[in-house]
Amino acid sequence: MKKRRINTTISLEHYKLLKKHAEKYKTHQKVLEIALECLENNPEQKSPLTIEEETWMRIGRELSHLSITFTKNAAKMLLETADMERFSVYVKDQKPLEFAIEWLYQKPLKECSLQELIDGIVLNRSMLGQDSIDHTEDDDYYTIIMTHNLGINHAKLMVIEFESLFKSYGVKVESSFSKRSVFLKIFKGSNE
């Protein structure tokens, strides 16, 4: 195959991306070739946003942030007197996390891989404004650690939801919690 030499300049941001992907694909040349092939194979690439669209996106982010702040304060107050037994019945009947995962992947929960389930949980909790969520994968299990500032009852409610989700999925989970954190250990290939 004949090759052509090109010389160009790119922004520092794009150079960092090029360098990052070069670690995976070994050379800048390979990264650029893959990027060009992607452009060729996906002609319906999204065009850049107009100024109006960018403005609406920014407004949405700002309003969302304000809404989350006010909602958290109200939620914390309401959670202090939450009826845990009633919430347990609600989760058992309605299975809200199961629904969220099925909606995200557009398939039944049992057809999702465990990795999809973990990724779905991380995405779901991130979008709900979880203070932080970290996860790791070990040989036999996944670990998810979530922090929040909504108090002990919020942690209890989260554990109820997650235990329901993993029971429905059919894997063993060990959970513990504190006033500001929830810890999950999800075992691979296990059945309850």
Side-chain angles (χ1 to χ4, degrees):
M1 172 169 52
K2 289 186 178 182
K3 300 203 178 218
R4 300 281 186 247
R5 180 169 184 77
I6 61 168
N7 292 311
T8 187
T9 58
I10 57 175
S11 69
L12 181 58
E13 176 186 336
H14 289 103
Y15 180 75
K16 287 178 183 176
L17 287 172
L18 180 63
K19 188 175 176 183
K20 173 183 150 187
H21 291 289
E23 290 176 17
K24 178 178 180 181
Y25 294 104
K26 306 295 183 223
T27 66
H28 292 166
Q29 175 187 344
K30 186 67 176 172
V31 172
L32 293 172
E33 288 172 350
I34 290 170
L36 289 169
E37 287 171 10
C38 286
L39 285 171
E40 185 66 27
N41 295 330
N42 298 313
E44 295 180 23
Q45 283 285 87
K46 292 182 181 177
S47 58
L49 297 177
T50 65
I51 293 173
E52 182 179 0
E53 290 169 330
E54 284 182 26
T55 303
W56 279 114
M57 294 287 286
R58 184 172 175 219
I59 289 169
R61 281 192 302 270
E62 296 297 325
L63 289 176
S64 173
H65 176 69
L66 288 173
S67 173
I68 288 170
T69 301
F70 291 123
T71 303
K72 275 188 173 182
N73 293 334
K76 185 173 183 178
M77 181 186 70
L78 292 171
L79 284 168
E80 290 171 359
T81 59
D83 182 344
M84 302 311 246
E85 286 300 316
R86 191 169 177 192
F87 187 76
S88 289
V89 170
Y90 163 76
V91 169
K92 183 179 179 184
D93 292 342
Q94 300 300 313
K95 303 197 177 294
L97 281 183
E98 289 89 329
F99 170 77
I101 298 296
E102 289 178 345
W103 180 86
L104 175 65
Y105 292 112
Q106 297 292 292
K107 60 185 177 182
L109 182 68
K110 293 284 190 175
E111 291 180 16
C112 295
S113 69
L114 187 54
Q115 182 64 58
E116 285 176 321
L117 192 62
I118 301 299
D119 292 343
I121 290 167
V122 171
L123 178 63
N124 177 274
R125 290 297 154 166
S126 296
M127 292 180 71
L128 289 174
Q130 197 74 46
D131 289 349
S132 74
I133 182 164
D134 293 310
H135 68 291
T136 59
E137 180 178 2
D138 292 301
D139 290 338
D140 299 329
Y141 58 89
Y142 293 92
T143 303
I144 299 177
I145 302 171
M146 294 166 279
T147 62
H148 61 89
N149 61 1
L150 295 176
I152 193 75
N153 279 354
H154 181 62
K156 289 177 184 177
L157 297 177
M158 287 172 42
V159 166
I160 291 168
E161 286 183 307
F162 287 117
E163 287 180 350
S164 171
L165 174 67
F166 291 113
K167 182 176 183 179
S168 294
Y169 187 72
V171 294
K172 182 181 174 190
V173 62
E174 291 178 1
S175 58
S176 59
F177 61 91
S178 67
K179 182 178 178 180
R180 296 183 183 268
S181 301
V182 173
F183 308 90
L184 301 172
K185 189 175 192 178
I186 304 104
F187 294 90
K188 296 177 180 179
S190 64
N191 290 354
E192 286 199 301

